Amino acid sequence: MTASIETLAEQMLALIEIVSDQEKDVQTLKQRCQRLEDHNQAIMVAFTTFFHVLAAGRVAKLDEIAGIVQSIVARAEKEERPQDSVDFLKGLARMLHEHHQDKPVEEGMRPEQLNSSNDG
């Protein structure tokens, strides 16, 4: 009986070590996921900023760029691209669309006029 209790105790300790190691792995994965989410957000901000520069430079309008991104989304879904890539593009298009609705660029304004009109 004593041997079986010792064996059981050893097995319980082994299980505790396994659970502890798994908890460490889970924490590491959570940290990596957070870094990836932060990186994803940084990329979206960079793209959005780039598109705003294009819009301010009168190269393209935000709604046109959002339309292009939507076309890319449709194509990516049709070609069954990875869902996280499709979701990224959808989020980018949504950000452009929402920002376009919030702050439309006034027609006929040059980029240097945009900065001065936003200051005052």
Side-chain angles (χ1 to χ4, degrees), residues 13-113:
L13 288 173
L15 284 174
I16 290 171
E17 287 179 28
I18 292 170
V19 169
S20 177
D21 289 343
Q22 288 178 343
E23 181 65 27
K24 289 176 188 174
D25 291 344
V26 166
Q27 290 301 322
T28 301
L29 289 173
K30 284 181 180 179
Q31 291 173 353
R32 288 179 68 194
C33 285
Q34 184 61 46
R35 283 195 305 266
L36 287 172
E37 287 176 12
D38 292 345
H39 183 71
N40 185 30
Q41 187 66 31
I43 291 171
M44 290 186 81
V45 168
F47 270 116
T48 304
T49 302
F50 174 70
F51 294 143
H52 284 281
V53 168
L54 290 178
R58 312 285 293 148
V59 174
K61 296 179 183 175
L62 287 179
D63 57 340
E64 293 171 348
I65 296 169
I68 291 168
V69 174
Q70 281 296 92
S71 296
I72 294 170
V73 167
R75 178 79 181 238
E77 288 177 330
K78 183 178 179 183
E79 293 178 359
E80 297 179 359
R81 299 289 179 168
Q83 190 59 43
D84 57 341
S85 299
V86 173
D87 291 342
F88 173 82
L89 291 169
K90 285 180 179 179
L92 184 59
R94 189 171 35 256
M95 284 177 67
L96 288 169
H97 181 71
E98 289 170 358
H99 191 75
H100 174 69
Q101 288 178 339
D102 291 343
K103 298 179 183 177
V105 176
E106 296 179 27
E107 287 297 321
M109 293 191 78
R110 295 188 307 267
E112 59 272 9
Q113 291 174 312

